[in-house]
Amino acid sequence: MDTTGSTRRITRRPTVAVGAFLAATAVALTAAVTAPATANAQDSSEAIPLLFPAPDRMIAVGGSPSGLCAGAISTTLDGDGYPDTASVSWAFAVVGVGPCTLTATLSWRNLDTGATGEKVAQVPFPRISTGIPDPISHPYEAQISTGPGRVEYRLTTTGGAVAGPIVVETVAYDG
């Protein structure tokens, strides 16, 4: 019984919770990488290298709004696509149980022209893949008509993960 009349505040340690979450995600991803491929793990051997940092890549790490899913979603951007167009490659390493209903949104803004837009990818269930067949069902879906110039990109998920911004130069058409 507290006889001093003072109350004691319980301090929370968010860094421990974040560290535990990242450790659990690392263990889950390690298990997913070393386990044999499953029906939901299309192109897993190609997806894993795309989840490592690179100058033209953003990686959002976190959980999902539903189910017990966690992992990483990455986008690799190339500003030298079709004329005045950038291209995006997606990679997913989301492990867990149940539906994930995770949505990743790649937002962009051309810093020279002011044009804006976004690409959206859905991760409905745990998977390790390069985004084929969804969200990229056709090569056209990987194209982003940003126009020429410096383009700033940000990646967010409905699970609260955020990556970016990064700036990638989209090459002008030289025809």
Side-chain angles (χ1 to χ4, degrees):
M1 176 174 208
D2 184 6
T3 58
T4 63
S6 65
T7 59
R8 183 174 179 199
R9 172 180 262 172
I10 298 173
T11 58
R12 300 193 188 263
R13 296 174 28 169
T15 54
V16 172
V18 170
F21 173 77
L22 291 175
T25 301
V27 168
L29 286 175
T30 301
V33 170
T34 58
T38 66
N40 292 339
Q42 306 93 356
D43 301 321
S44 60
S45 63
E46 295 174 18
I48 298 304
L50 296 175
L51 295 170
F52 290 104
D56 58 350
R57 182 174 300 140
M58 291 183 291
I59 305 167
V61 178
S64 69
S66 65
L68 299 173
C69 300
I73 296 177
S74 82
T75 56
T76 304
L77 298 148
D78 181 3
D80 195 12
Y82 191 73
D84 298 341
T85 302
S87 62
V88 60
S89 299
W90 296 87
F92 309 100
V94 179
V95 295
V97 177
C100 296
T101 58
L102 183 63
T103 301
T105 303
L106 176 66
S107 302
W108 61 270
R109 179 172 59 101
N110 188 313
L111 300 174
D112 297 332
T113 66
T116 61
E118 62 184 32
K119 285 281 187 182
V120 176
Q122 302 290 331
V123 182
F125 48 81
R127 66 184 302 169
I128 298 174
S129 81
T130 58
I132 299 168
D134 57 355
I136 310 301
S137 57
H138 187 277
Y140 176 76
E141 294 295 318
Q143 302 301 310
I144 306 172
S145 297
T146 62
R150 298 171 301 123
V151 181
E152 179 182 80
Y153 297 91
R154 295 177 190 271
L155 180 62
T156 59
T157 72
T158 53
V162 177
I166 64 169
V167 175
V168 176
E169 181 84 22
T170 299
V171 179
Y173 178 60
D174 205 20

